[in-house]
Amino acid sequence: MQPRPRITAIMVSSLDGAVVAGGAGSRGLSTPADRTLFRSLRRAAGVVLVGAGTARDEDYRGVRPRRPTADDPAPAPPPPVAVVTGSAALDPAASLFTDTVTAPIVLTTAGAPGVRRDALRAAGADVVVLPDLAPATLLAELGRRGLHDVLCEGGPTLLGTLVAADAVDELRLTLVPVLVGGPAGRIAAGPAAAVPPRGMRLAGHTAADDGTLLLHYLRSDESPRPPNG
Ligand SMILES: NC(=O)c1ccc[n+]([C@@H]2O[C@H](COP(=O)([O-])OP(=O)(O)OC[C@H]3O[C@@H](n4cnc5c(N)ncnc54)[C@H](OP(=O)(O)O)[C@@H]3O)[C@@H](O)[C@H]2O)c1
């Protein structure tokens, strides 16, 4: 049996636990140190996994290709963005489909209207109809495609599903030194809580000059491995 793909989640939060700020989603929170980490993890990923809510709200586009350098004159193409959506309610004219080098993957089910699936295929997406969108099914499909290093960029609904299924191997949590207040949610949301709570251990941390804290957590039952970003 193939080993299941490894999931690294990257999320950014205010000190009071908000995942969005200033009407700009997570971008309203992100700092230069967070963006640098984000880019380096994307470069190392086999696939970027994201919920449809985030892809829609943050106008996702494809991962940028690397520039050729003397050391790497022919860099590998960027990883695909794989969007999880039960509805397939994604705009075929969105940047996700029009501003990308690598074809995006749309992970959906037969419950999504066929007309929407067809429109996304016509826009260049690799539309995959799965029996369900449970974490085990999503990961089995990514593994079947040889996409073993999964960078999950949220959002809270997708991450909550993965946490409830105890499927998160690593968490890169950026704490930004701001207080947001208001109704903003936290990094993982959903009806089912992880029982018992998943223990994580701090594998590394960096404090940027602006007070941003980059925290790197691994599952507590896992031995250390080289950092991937
Ligand atoms: N602070 C951060 O690090 C961070 C990171 C990412 C996002 N965000 C913010 O979070 C907000 C979006 O939150 P969200 O919870 O709506 O995000 P989300 O998890 O990206 O999207 C939820 C949607 O994704 C689909 N989906 C996700 N998991 C699914 C599953 N297991 N089964 C079936 N469908 C699934 C569904 O799409 P359909 O409705 O199409 O069926 C669902 O409505 C945005 O404002 C974004 O800016 C913050």
Side-chain angles (χ1 to χ4, degrees), residues 10-13 18-20 24-27 29 50-58 60 84-90 133-135 138 153-159 161-162 187 189:
I10 179 167
M11 300 296 284
V12 58
S13 168
V19 286
V20 292
S26 61
R27 288 176 186 152
L29 287 172
V50 70
T54 300
R56 286 188 288 256
D57 289 0
E58 299 195 357
Y60 255 53
V84 182
T85 173
S87 67
L90 296 164
L133 297 176
L138 298 174
E153 296 180 353
T157 302
L158 178 59
L159 183 60
T161 313
L162 297 173
I187 65 166

Side-chain angles (χ1 to χ4, degrees), residues 136-182:
T137 311
L138 298 174
L139 294 183
E141 176 60 23
L142 296 177
R144 195 184 66 71
R145 292 164 171 259
L147 302 173
H148 295 291
D149 283 313
V150 180
L151 182 65
C152 176
E153 296 180 353
T157 302
L158 178 59
L159 183 60
T161 313
L162 297 173
V163 168
D166 196 18
V168 177
D169 299 295
E170 279 185 52
L171 174 64
R172 299 288 191 141
L173 176 63
T174 298
L175 269 187
V176 177
V178 294
L179 296 169
V180 172

